[in-house]
Structure formats: C-alpha cells, structure tokens
Amino acid sequence: MNESSRIEGLLRRIRREIRRRRAEYYGLRGAFWGAVAGAVLLLAKHAVGSTAAWAAAALVILGAVAGIAYGAARRVARGDAARVADRAFGLDDRVATTLEWAGRADRTRLVDSLVADTVARVEALELKRAVGRVVPREGRLLAVPVLACLVLAITPPIPMPSGRLPDFLPSGEEEREEHASSSMLEETSRPTAKDPLKRPSFEEHDFAQRAGGSGATTTGDLSAIFKDTSLASQRPDFNSFMKKGDERLRMLEQVDRLPDLQSDFTSSQYKMVYRKSKALTGGLRPDQISPQKLRELLEEMERLGRKGGGNWSGDAMEGMEALEGGQPDRALDAMQKALDKMRAMDEAQRSGKGLRGGRENERSGRGRDRARGDGMGPEDQDFGEGEGLMPGRGRSGSPKGEATQRLRANPYDVGVEGESRRGRKDGYDTNLTGRGGSMASRLQYLGVIGQYRKAMEDAITREQVPRDFHDQIRSYFQALDER
Amino acid sequence: MNRDARVEAFVAAFEALRAEVEKVIVGHHEVITHVLIGMFAGGHVLLEGVPGLGKTLLIKTLSEGLELSFSRIQFTPDLMPADIIGTNIIVEDADGRKHFQFQHGPIFAHILLADEINRATPKTQSALLEGMQEGAVTVGGASRPLPAPFFVLATQNPIEMEGTYPLPEAQLDRFLFKLRVRYPALDELNAIIDRTTQSRPATVSRVLSGPAVLSFRELIREVPIASHVRDFASAIVMATHPQWEQAPEVARRFVRYGASPRAAQALVLGAKVRALAEGRYNVSIEDIKALAAPALRHRVILNFEGEAEGVDTDTLVARVLDNTEAATAQAREPFLR
C-alpha cells in the first residue's frame, strides 16, 4: 500500500538512525575498555616484548569495532521506532497508533481517518535528525586510557618484581656484629638492673625478657632480622602479656608505691645541698676546705632539717660543733651523715612515701600532728563548759568533730529499760541493757550537759520553743543538775 | 487534510459550547474544558472550591448552552433521599379510586446540579449513587430510568469547612473527574467585575441538543488508542496502589488505597474526548497525562502518614506520573526516549 509504505519508509529511516547512534554509543564504550586493556598490556611491556604497543592498538580498535558491531546489530522494534518518530516529529502517537490499528479487523471509520491523517503528516514532515547522540561516560573518559597507552608505549618498560623475597639471612660478619652489640647491651643493662632505685618486681624482669633470656638467637632462623631486640627467639605469649598487665594494674592500686610525678625532684633539697657540698669539697682535702663555707652549708642543712622535719639536724649541729672545735674532718663526716639521711628521705619521697593522699603519709601526718600538739589525743582532752565533741565544736580537726565509735554489737544486743526514781522530784531513769549496755559511754556527762543547757537557753531566748513549755524545760534541766 | 465530518462536527460543537460558557465565566479555561470532557465522556463531575468562585454559575451556564432539562438541588443537612428521587403519593382519579402515583424528584433531569453536595448527610448523598451509575432509580420496588443523557454536576466546599459531610469513597468514585476551582487571577477578577456589573448581562445560546450529545458519546468510543498509551494509563492507576510491586515510594509511603478501575476508564475515556476535541483521531500519552489529576485526585485515599504530613493528592499524582513515565521500557534506553 502506498500510504503504509510512506510510514514504513519513515520507520526504516528512524530505525537506521537508532542503529547508528547505538553503534556510536557502544563503539565508544568498546574503545574505552579496549584502551584500558591496552594500557594494562603496555604495563607488562617488559614481559610481552616489542609487540606490546601493536597489541595495545589492536585492543583499542578491536573494542571499538566490537562495540559498533553490537550497537548496529541490536534489533529495533517497529513500535519503538514509531514512538521515537512520534516524539521526534511531534506526531502525538499517531504513527504508533496507526501501525497498531491499521491492520486490525475491528478498525472503525475513525481509524481510516487516522491513517490518512498520519500519512499526510508524515509526507509533510521536514526530515531532521530524530535520535540524539548520546555520549556514554566511557566516551567522555576515553582520552585517559588512550593517553596512558601512548605514554606507556614511548616510555621504557617497567621492570617487574621477580616475585622472590629478598634474602634476609645475615652474613657471618653481620652476625658477629650483632652478637657483639647484643653482648654490649647485656653489659650496659647489668648496672641498670642493679640500680637500687629500680624495682626488681617488674622492671628487671621486663628487661631480662627483652634481653632474650640466654641472649642467644638461632642462626639461620627467619626471625633473625629481629635479633637486636631478641624477640625473635621467643614465641608471642599472650598469657604472659596479660599477666604483666595484671601486675601493672595491681601496682596502680598501691598508691603509696606510686612515684609522685607532680613534684620536681631535680630541685629537691638533697640535690641542692649535694651540689653545694660537691662544689665545696670537690677534690680538696678536709684542711683545704673553707671553714666558713662549710659552716654555712651545715647551718643550711640544720635549718632544712628543722623546717622539713628531717632527722639530720642533729648531725648538722654535730658537724658545726666539730668545726668550731677545729676538726674539719669530723665536720665533713657529720655532713656526709646528714647528706645520707637527706638522700634516704628524698628517695623515700620519690618511691611514693611522700605522695599526697597515700595511706602511710596520712598516718604519719596524723602522728606528726599528735606529736606536735600538747601530747593529748582527742580522747584525752578535758572539755570545759560549752565545748567538747559536739559537731563543729571542740578541738577536733574535723569540722563535724570526731565520729562516735560504733558499738561492737548489733542493735538487738542493746535494749532500754526504764525505772522510776524517787527523790525530791519524781524522775525516770533509762538504762541500756544487753551487751551494749555494759559498754562505757563515749560522751562525758558533765562535758555534754553544759552544751545542752546552753542550747536550751538559746532556743528559749530565740523563741523557738512555745512559751508554755519554757518552765517545764527549765525544771527538767534543773532536775538533771540535782542528780 | 482529510478530516472526518463527524469529528469536524464534534470539534465545532465542543468549541461552540465552550465559547458560550466563557461568555459568562471568566477564566477557568481548564475547568470548563474538563467539565465538557466529562459531559461528553458520559461521566459526572464534582467541582470543589471555596464559595463565590462561580462553580454554580458555570454549571447553570452550561445547562443554558444545551437543549436539555436542568434541575438544581440545594443540598442541606435536612434534605432527605425522597426529596431527590421522588416518592409515591396517593392520588384520587375521576372515578374516585385512590392509587399511588410516583411524584418525580428533581433527579429526573438531563443535567442535575447538586449544589454543595457535602452539606447533606451521607444517607441523602447516597441517593444519587444508583442514578449516577445505572442511569435509573428504584422507588417502591420499581426501577425508573433517568432521561439520557444524564449528567450530574456537583459542587462542594473543601471538607475542612465546618458543617459539611465528606462524600463517601463509593460516591466519590462515581464522579468521572474532580475539578478544583481556583481563585481567579487579578486580570480575571477585573474582567469578572466588568461583566457582572454591566447593565446587560451576557446571553447564552443553546448550541447542542441531547441527541447530539449522545451521538458524540458514541463517536468518542471509536477513537483508537495505542497499546502503549493504554498501558501507560493502566500503569498510572496501578502505581497509586501501595501494594503493587512497582509502586513508587511516594505511593507506598502515603497512600492507603489506590485508584479503582473506574479511574483507568475515566482516564482513557477522557483522553479520547480530549483527543477528539483537539481534532485528533487517536489518544496520545499527553492526553492521559493531562487528565491524570482530575481522574485520580479523588480516588486516591491517603493513609495516616499522608494526612498527617498534609500531602496534596495533586502533588502525589504528579509524582506518580513522573515515576511511571520514567519506568516505561522506552524511557530506559536513551535512544528510545
């Protein structure tokens, strides 16, 4: 049919155009991946040889040709071509509807009109490009692998790794050097291990392990590269690592043993005095030392001893007396004794004894306070009227006073029983019973009653107590006095 | 071009009727077109808008342009179904014998204006159900056919307004289209003022008869539709169903119930009228897209999240449309787009 042939002609043209665009699209994609493969091939030019460049070029062309062939060979359905034509030429689905309805048996008069209308419109079409060019992402990036191919083609081949591990086995000479250095390490470690400041509990043990126990390594073992650390001779032992960690954690719990890292020990009293003594006595005989300077040093040591609570004041005093007696050698001996004591105290502080918050320090501090006081503990103090162990009062160092000692019995061991008392005024005595009842009272009656009376008078004065109860309260306290 | 005479006549009638309505109604060109499409497709149209936008005037003007009987029912809360359908009353004949006689209700007209339909109770609203679907009403066990063509044009205020009863889904589904009457633009408002304050109001001529409408309805059903266009309409309707495996995310998230098959019928029928009105002999994708919102907006029921988020059904339909278009097989290959 002439009418349908015109529509068919339009469709053929559209299908051809779609195939061409597909060929371009897939050709670019094929060229890209061919170029990528070519670049990989050129990387291996060292192994492939001089034909690598030609092979890479062939890969690019092959990829492009394969893509073009694939795109051109893909089938384009008539319906798809009709829809593309409808959209491209603004035919409002006329071509697609015509193609579908033209051959149907139930076509109506309107379909005839539709076919005629579509043919007329197709004939009147101005032929233009119906299918737009679509550049794939690979097409936009095609220059990258192509340039890489070109660069790799003109540059010398890249040597490939042989695939064999380098020989780490040491030569005999190196081994000897290693052995010598390891023995040196052992020698230098020995005095360090004997250093009294070092705690043998973990540091020496640790160093011994680092030194490799026997210090010998197995020659020819692959782990010889770690010879200097001697770790190679030991198998990794997680349990021992954990054990060490536990030891360190326990160490952390012992606050008294922790070094005080907040203090600056480089400027300690001992260091200062020691430097002065060295400057004074450095290389000189006792008779060559300036007595004046030695006296000044001894005086300073004596002052420091008094001020800091050190026990070398006596030695310093002894040294000064010897110096006045014309015995500089004795004075120097006394100074040395005092220095030794200073150093001992300094070391004690460095090992955590002087750390603030430590238990020993707290205990010793309390003892010092007691010693510095009038020789009486809080229990021995005699309280006058209006002062004692009431909270916030008395001579206790604590703002709330010392805590009342707890009864060494559970509450069921203590009971209260009452007993009426006859006298000038009737009263009622309450007594503790049980084990608790037989224990001594912590508070002294005469020391406390005065405070309570004073508190009572204050309360009445400030009108905290209703007026009707004033007489009753006063008579109660009067009755207590009469006991 | 060789154009079918019937199509020529339809295009002329369509344009003439639109011109008559536009003599009175300013703007709302799309609403008028969709009302006419609904009428020629044989469906009923629901117009929604705030009071004073000319909904009732539009329908009255349309009825004046058609040589058809017209009745108007003002829906109120105390309106009863019998007030719409009619009822049997006892009459006495010349012999003195009494018998029941059916008193026709206002529904027995070609064009029925159901004004402010959502002011009546659902019971009364439902009185229109049978007439709208079957073209007949049943009273006292007797089915009485309604005159053909029967065309219901209903107006309603937005359901957010007080004193209204939202139409039940079954009732809404009977409407081919739901049209939203928007507020006029400034120049349109000026034109309204000019027209309505003149001493001589515009007169509307009758340009189309009832039989002509019926013959055009038959012609419209002959319009061919390509399978890919029909598939597109079906895909749009299916895409409103959250249960459908290819439903877009927006439908899965916000829709409780999707559109019914009546929606697909409305889409295709309306698209056929639109194509013919434009002088085309086939339905195009553009016809379907143009009528998607009027055909679907009242048939998509939002879920709680959709209601809470204030999702607009028009926006939802537009997103569904975009998703469906992008998901077609042709759209997937760049050369076939």
Side-chain angles (χ1 to χ4, degrees), chain B residues 94-165:
Chain B
D95 301 333
R97 289 191 300 184
K98 292 178 181 172
H99 64 276
F100 282 105
Q101 186 184 352
F102 182 68
Q103 183 74 33
H104 290 84
I107 196 172
F108 288 89
H110 290 105
I111 299 174
L112 175 67
L113 167 56
D115 208 9
E116 298 191 275
I117 191 170
N118 60 337
R119 289 211 180 275
T121 58
K123 179 183 173 184
T124 309
Q125 290 168 357
S126 300
L128 287 173
L129 275 175
E130 188 187 357
M132 289 170 73
Q133 184 64 31
E134 310 294 336
V137 290
T138 305
V139 183
S143 180
R144 296 175 186 279
L146 297 171
F150 177 66
F151 180 41
V152 176
L153 283 159
T155 68
Q156 74 167 8
N157 297 324
I159 56 169
E160 298 87 42
M161 299 188 73
E162 291 196 11
T164 57
Y165 298 90

Side-chain angles (χ1 to χ4, degrees), chain A residues 47-236:
Chain A
V48 177
S50 59
T51 56
W54 292 108
L59 277 174
V60 176
I61 294 166
L62 192 68
V65 169
I68 289 167
Y70 173 74
R74 280 187 69 185
R75 187 175 163 274
V76 183
R78 290 176 76 217
D80 288 342
R83 282 191 283 277
V84 170
D86 282 332
R87 263 190 293 277
F89 300 109
L91 293 173
D92 289 328
D93 296 296
R94 282 185 176 89
V95 177
T97 313
T98 303
L99 273 183
E100 195 174 324
W101 280 80
R104 282 174 67 155
D106 58 341
R107 59 185 280 179
T108 58
R109 282 168 56 197
L110 272 185
V111 177
D112 295 338
S113 303
L114 170 67
V115 172
D117 182 45
T118 307
V119 170
R121 285 175 187 272
V122 168
E123 281 177 347
L125 277 181
E126 283 185 25
L127 293 178
K128 61 171 186 176
R129 197 178 68 180
V131 185
R133 180 175 282 122
V134 180
V135 180
R137 191 175 52 209
E138 288 92 342
R140 289 192 288 273
L141 299 172
L142 179 61
V144 176
V146 169
L147 275 175
C149 282
L150 288 174
V151 170
L152 288 168
I154 58 175
T155 50
I158 300 167
M160 298 294 286
S162 63
R164 198 159 51 87
L165 284 171
D167 188 7
F168 289 116
L169 293 178
S171 62
E173 195 175 335
E174 283 172 348
E175 196 177 349
R176 276 194 297 279
E177 280 180 14
E178 290 290 338
H179 187 70
S181 64
S182 117
S183 60
M184 276 175 68
L185 191 66
E186 278 183 14
E187 280 174 14
T188 51
S189 70
R190 225 167 271 132
T192 313
K194 286 177 181 173
D195 190 342
L197 287 175
K198 285 261 183 186
R199 282 185 295 278
S201 58
F202 68 95
E203 287 178 1
E204 283 186 8
H205 176 62
D206 181 50
F207 191 81
Q209 280 191 341
R210 288 170 67 90
S214 63
T217 56
T218 313
T219 312
D221 190 357
L222 188 65
S223 58
I225 50 173
F226 300 112
K227 217 170 184 180
D228 56 341
T229 59
S230 71
L231 284 173
S233 62
Q234 296 183 1
R235 296 176 69 84

Side-chain angles (χ1 to χ4, degrees), chain A residues 247-433:
Chain A
E247 284 173 4
R248 286 178 180 130
L249 283 173
R250 274 200 292 277
M251 193 80 188
L252 284 172
E253 289 172 0
Q254 298 173 7
V255 179
D256 295 341
R257 299 186 62 186
L258 287 175
D260 185 4
L261 300 175
Q262 292 178 330
S263 303
D264 183 11
F265 288 102
T266 56
S267 61
S268 67
Q269 291 177 352
Y270 166 69
K271 284 279 172 75
M272 188 181 67
V273 174
Y274 179 75
R275 274 198 293 270
K276 285 185 178 176
S277 68
K278 277 287 174 192
L280 184 66
T281 62
L284 298 176
R285 291 195 305 273
D287 55 330
Q288 293 174 322
I289 295 170
S290 162
Q292 182 62 29
K293 288 189 176 177
L294 184 58
R295 184 180 294 107
E296 286 175 2
L297 184 61
L298 285 168
E299 281 174 0
E300 187 175 355
M301 288 172 79
E302 193 269 339
R303 194 180 69 248
L304 286 172
R306 270 192 291 115
K307 190 178 171 187
N311 53 359
W312 60 85
S313 299
D315 295 320
M317 287 289 289
E318 191 181 324
M320 283 191 289
E321 285 171 3
L323 196 62
E324 284 177 5
Q327 297 172 320
D329 48 346
R330 275 190 62 207
L332 279 175
D333 287 343
M335 186 186 76
Q336 191 58 46
K337 276 184 191 171
L339 268 176
D340 288 344
K341 286 180 180 176
M342 283 183 82
R343 190 180 68 185
M345 186 169 172
D346 189 63
E347 283 169 2
Q349 284 176 344
R350 283 187 66 182
S351 63
K353 293 269 170 52
L355 187 64
R356 244 177 292 157
R359 288 190 290 273
E360 287 185 16
N361 189 34
E362 190 184 353
R363 261 178 256 130
S364 64
R366 197 182 295 169
R368 251 200 321 270
D369 288 345
R370 200 175 293 159
R372 207 182 294 159
D374 51 7
M376 293 187 293
E379 293 163 9
D380 305 328
Q381 291 169 1
D382 186 19
F383 300 105
E385 186 85 3
E387 72 176 355
L389 287 173
M390 287 296 283
R393 307 294 299 270
R395 296 180 185 173
S396 170
S398 170
K400 289 190 175 180
E402 294 286 346
T404 305
Q405 193 176 359
R406 298 175 68 182
L407 295 171
R408 295 178 185 274
N410 65 52
Y412 302 106
D413 294 336
V414 184
V416 178
E417 63 178 14
E419 188 181 353
S420 64
R421 175 174 56 80
R422 299 192 65 79
R424 217 162 49 169
K425 285 188 175 179
D426 289 343
Y428 200 79
D429 288 337
T430 55
N431 294 308
L432 288 174
T433 60

